[in-house]
Amino acid sequence: MRQDIQALLSERQTQICARLEALDGAAAFTVDPWQHAGGGGGVTRILERGRCFEKAGVNLSNVWGPVPEGASAMFRAKAGTDLSGGEFFVSSLSLVIHPQNPMVPIVHANYRYFEISAAGRTEPIWWFGGGTDLTPSYLFEEDVRFYHQAYRAACDRRDREFYPRFKAWCDDYFFIRHRGERRGTGGIFFDDLTASSPGKLFPLIEDCTQAICDVYVPIVRRRSTTPFDDRHKRWQDLRRGRYVEFNLMYDRGTTFGLRTGGRVESILMSLPPTARWGYTVNPEPGSPEAELMEVLVRPREWA
Amino acid sequence: MRQDIQALLSERQTQICARLEALDGAAAFTVDPWQHAGGGGGVTRILERGRCFEKAGVNLSNVWGPVPEGASAMFRAKAGTDLSGGEFFVSSLSLVIHPQNPMVPIVHANYRYFEISAAGRTEPIWWFGGGTDLTPSYLFEEDVRFYHQAYRAACDRRDREFYPRFKAWCDDYFFIRHRGERRGTGGIFFDDLTASSPGKLFPLIEDCTQAICDVYVPIVRRRSTTPFDDRHKRWQDLRRGRYVEFNLMYDRGTTFGLRTGGRVESILMSLPPTARWGYTVNPEPGSPEAELMEVLVRPREWA
């Protein structure tokens, strides 16, 4: 599985960057390879100041080594056994795309395969984690339905219990507790996903990573020529501020990664190019901004 | 002490807002009184989109009630005894000022008095906490020296051990661990400060809160007419991004306040009006931006 997942995620990174570049038509992805002190490394690819995309990051990591200090408690909880002296392996693809046009939603996706080998065990412990979520500044129900329907279809092909479970998990996970609102209109989220063998879940990851562009590109095409003005851009920046609040305060990948010596720039590539904070900004009742807030406070079923 | 500190901090809030308003000359502070569910309340005063100040917040809180769920462990550690069923009281003044001109530093100050009464004790446990720190986007050594010298003088009047201790504590506290840099050029920071009676430390708080404008206003006057362009504004926004990283990830007032049901808007008034993130932004060696980074990575003695 280690080789299969690395090959898949690497191929997906190339393919996704090519499609986004073609769509943008102005800017290109840089290629920044890096090494991990313990073992392995990754490639961070960034596109900035494009025509469609203000900032897009697609990061591939294949990292291994001794279980880091700050991580052993989490791994022990997952494994139900002591893993001191264990070795971990993780292969992960993550991306966050911040569009220029406030009518185009932010998209995030991350899929990862984890393995831990402990001293006294013959078989490694393994699991998949991941998901994707959509963060619009303005609500186009058609886009959100299209997005959720596509991921429902990808999940249903493998297990009809997946989508309802992963959709609810996503609403729970991307919750900005102190604000009482979700960061966006959700998607799917799962962790600790395991089965009789990794090969059983591999097709889910194949389909979900294939869906990233298949689902997002049509949404970008549909909205990226919609006119906007300073008011829309201002609201987009306020919503990006909430994205920052979520990522820095609640996102486990971010907080865990920074605590365990992960590569700072690759982790924080998820942050928006710009953000804004105002004091008690409350959208006018009935405004498009208020309409978005309603679905962030009370998540809906979209598919 | 409860009455004395409330009277002092309330008077300071009025005085500080009046001086900043006069200096700004264009925008005024709003007055937003609020109630705390447990008991007490506060007044949050905000000035936005001024001539000098892009966003300035000055918050006064006088809050009491049963020790909140998420706080009992911290209070127990401080008191060295079980405080379940205890009552707390806190009086606090905090301010953060985000100037328009990138040549003018951000200033932050917070001074607070805490009391906890536990069931089995006749005397409450009490302490003072607080401090102030300066966050320039561009380094003017003259300003940083002036600022540190003033706070050294305020500390020295009470105890000559205070400034060296509080200055080092400040450099330790305002450390963005994952970046390996401080958020600014420091100042003073202290917590759990106690003595034979609260009255012994009250003059320190009187002097430090009086110094807030006495020290900052001359710096603002000196720098706020310096010309700047998009490059400077862009760098200011990048530094503001680091300010956000510190506040949301490391600042105990922020994380603790949000966890224990503090008033979100009053806590997050510290966030800058705008911020920016880029991928691996490294200032040119020898540039003014690189000069700032040096003192953030290796703090200096300024007074």
Side-chain angles (χ1 to χ4, degrees):
Chain A
M1 180 48 59
R2 289 190 183 202
Q3 270 157 18
D4 291 349
I5 191 82
Q6 291 186 64
L8 172 71
L9 298 183
S10 173
E11 188 196 307
R12 290 294 193 241
Q13 186 187 37
T14 307
Q15 168 196 343
I16 288 166
C17 291
R19 288 182 73 179
L20 294 176
E21 243 175 56
L23 182 58
D24 189 80
F29 277 93
T30 56
V31 182
D32 194 2
W34 49 269
Q35 304 275 308
H36 178 69
V43 180
T44 300
R45 302 198 60 182
I46 303 282
L47 178 156
E48 286 179 295
R49 292 175 292 280
R51 190 180 57 83
C52 270
F53 305 120
E54 208 167 320
K55 185 177 171 194
V58 186
N59 187 57
L60 178 73
S61 301
N62 294 301
V63 164
W64 53 86
V67 170
E69 195 64 23
S72 54
M74 186 196 82
F75 288 155
R76 193 168 47 245
K78 282 181 189 286
T81 175
D82 188 18
L83 293 168
S84 38
E87 300 264 324
F88 79 96
F89 166 87
V90 58
S91 185
S92 165
L93 179 72
S94 62
L95 89 162
V96 178
I97 300 166
H98 291 283
Q100 293 278 7
N101 191 318
M103 305 303 156
V104 181
I106 303 167
V107 77
H108 153 261
N110 167 238
Y111 295 95
R112 55 196 180 268
Y113 171 72
F114 253 99
E115 258 187 33
I116 305 181
S117 5
R121 285 176 172 257
T122 44
E123 291 291 301
I125 299 153
W126 63 268
W127 70 91
F128 288 97
T132 176
D133 76 307
L134 199 68
T135 305
S137 296
Y138 287 94
L139 181 65
F140 295 93
E141 299 195 1
E142 177 192 0
D143 296 347
V144 183
R145 272 197 302 270
F146 172 72
Y147 178 89
H148 274 272
Q149 278 158 2
Y151 284 102
R152 173 185 269 283
C155 290
D156 281 358
R157 271 199 293 282
R158 307 302 158 195
D159 188 329
R160 296 188 61 88
E161 289 183 356
F162 280 169
Y163 175 80
R165 206 173 124 213
F166 297 169
K167 192 274 180 194
W169 203 338
C170 192
D171 287 336
D172 278 354
Y173 182 80
F174 291 103
F175 183 52
I176 309 173
R177 193 171 312 277
H178 61 274
R179 299 284 190 181
E181 65 193 41
R182 274 94 207 145
R183 91 170 175 187
T185 50
I188 55 169
F189 181 90
F190 55 90
D191 201 2
D192 304 315
L193 197 66
T194 194
S196 55
S197 81
K200 290 259 165 51
L201 292 169
F202 190 70
L204 175 73
I205 306 302
E206 280 184 297
D207 289 359
C208 284
T209 52
Q210 175 60 42
I212 296 172
C213 282
D214 289 354
V215 175
Y216 189 57
V217 168
I219 296 176
V220 176
R221 279 194 207 287
R222 197 145 59 206
R223 302 294 163 210
S224 63
T225 55
T226 312
F228 63 89
D229 60 24
D230 284 354
R231 164 197 166 166
H232 304 113
K233 205 65 192 159
R234 202 178 175 84
W235 176 248
Q236 181 191 44
D237 268 348
L238 287 165
R239 296 311 310 165
R240 286 173 170 179
R242 301 296 170 91
Y243 209 84
V244 172
E245 290 180 27
F246 179 83
N247 285 17
L248 296 183
M249 296 186 66
Y250 300 106
D251 184 56
R252 289 196 289 263
T254 304
T255 55
F256 175 82
L258 294 176
R259 233 183 15 246
T260 55
R263 185 170 183 269
V264 177
E265 290 292 347
S266 301
I267 295 168
L268 295 185
M269 72 168 201
S270 67
L271 297 179
T274 58
R276 178 179 288 275
W277 284 269
Y279 180 70
T280 56
V281 178
N282 291 316
E284 294 250 329
S287 66
E289 291 81 8
E291 200 190 346
L292 174 78
M293 292 312 299
E294 274 172 39
V295 301
L296 302 186
V297 171
R298 276 172 295 274
R300 283 196 216 152
E301 295 307 317
W302 298 101
Chain B
M1 181 48 59
R2 290 190 183 202
Q3 271 158 17
D4 291 349
I5 191 80
Q6 291 186 65
L8 173 70
L9 298 183
S10 172
E11 189 195 307
R12 290 295 192 242
Q13 185 186 37
T14 306
Q15 170 196 341
I16 289 166
C17 290
R19 287 181 74 179
L20 294 176
E21 241 175 56
L23 183 58
D24 190 80
F29 276 94
T30 55
V31 183
D32 194 2
W34 49 269
Q35 304 275 310
H36 178 71
V43 180
T44 300
R45 302 197 59 182
I46 303 282
L47 178 157
E48 285 179 296
R49 291 174 293 279
R51 190 180 56 83
C52 272
F53 304 120
E54 208 168 319
K55 185 178 171 192
V58 185
N59 186 57
L60 178 73
S61 300
N62 295 299
V63 165
W64 54 85
V67 170
E69 195 62 26
S72 53
M74 187 195 81
F75 288 154
R76 191 169 49 243
K78 282 182 190 284
T81 174
D82 188 17
L83 293 168
S84 37
E87 299 266 324
F88 79 97
F89 166 88
V90 59
S91 185
S92 165
L93 179 71
S94 62
L95 90 161
V96 179
I97 300 167
H98 292 283
Q100 292 277 7
N101 191 317
M103 305 302 157
V104 181
I106 303 167
V107 77
H108 154 261
N110 167 237
Y111 295 96
R112 54 196 181 269
Y113 172 71
F114 253 98
E115 260 186 32
I116 305 180
S117 3
R121 285 175 171 259
T122 44
E123 290 292 300
I125 300 153
W126 63 269
W127 70 91
F128 287 97
T132 175
D133 76 307
L134 199 68
T135 306
S137 296
Y138 287 93
L139 181 66
F140 294 92
E141 299 194 2
E142 177 192 0
D143 297 347
V144 183
R145 271 197 301 270
F146 171 73
Y147 177 89
H148 274 271
Q149 278 159 2
Y151 284 103
R152 174 186 267 284
C155 289
D156 281 359
R157 269 199 295 282
R158 307 303 158 195
D159 188 330
R160 295 186 63 87
E161 290 183 356
F162 280 168
Y163 176 79
R165 204 172 126 215
F166 297 170
K167 193 273 182 195
W169 203 339
C170 192
D171 287 338
D172 279 354
Y173 182 79
F174 291 103
F175 184 52
I176 309 173
R177 192 171 312 278
H178 60 275
R179 299 284 189 181
E181 65 193 41
R182 274 93 208 145
R183 90 169 175 188
T185 51
I188 56 170
F189 181 90
F190 55 89
D191 201 2
D192 305 315
L193 198 67
T194 194
S196 55
S197 81
K200 290 258 166 48
L201 292 169
F202 190 69
L204 175 74
I205 306 301
E206 278 184 298
D207 289 359
C208 284
T209 51
Q210 175 60 42
I212 295 171
C213 282
D214 289 354
V215 177
Y216 189 57
V217 167
I219 297 176
V220 176
R221 279 195 206 286
R222 198 144 59 205
R223 303 296 162 208
S224 64
T225 55
T226 312
F228 63 89
D229 60 23
D230 283 354
R231 165 198 167 165
H232 304 113
K233 205 64 193 160
R234 205 179 172 84
W235 176 249
Q236 181 190 45
D237 267 346
L238 287 164
R239 296 311 311 165
R240 286 173 171 180
R242 302 296 170 93
Y243 209 85
V244 172
E245 289 180 28
F246 179 82
N247 285 17
L248 296 183
M249 295 186 67
Y250 301 107
D251 184 56
R252 290 196 289 263
T254 304
T255 55
F256 176 82
L258 294 177
R259 231 180 21 241
T260 55
R263 186 170 181 268
V264 176
E265 291 291 346
S266 301
I267 296 168
L268 295 184
M269 71 167 202
S270 67
L271 298 180
T274 58
R276 178 179 289 274
W277 283 269
Y279 180 70
T280 57
V281 177
N282 292 317
E284 295 251 328
S287 65
E289 291 81 8
E291 200 190 345
L292 174 78
M293 293 312 299
E294 275 172 37
V295 301
L296 302 187
V297 171
R298 277 172 295 275
R300 282 196 216 152
E301 294 307 316
W302 298 100

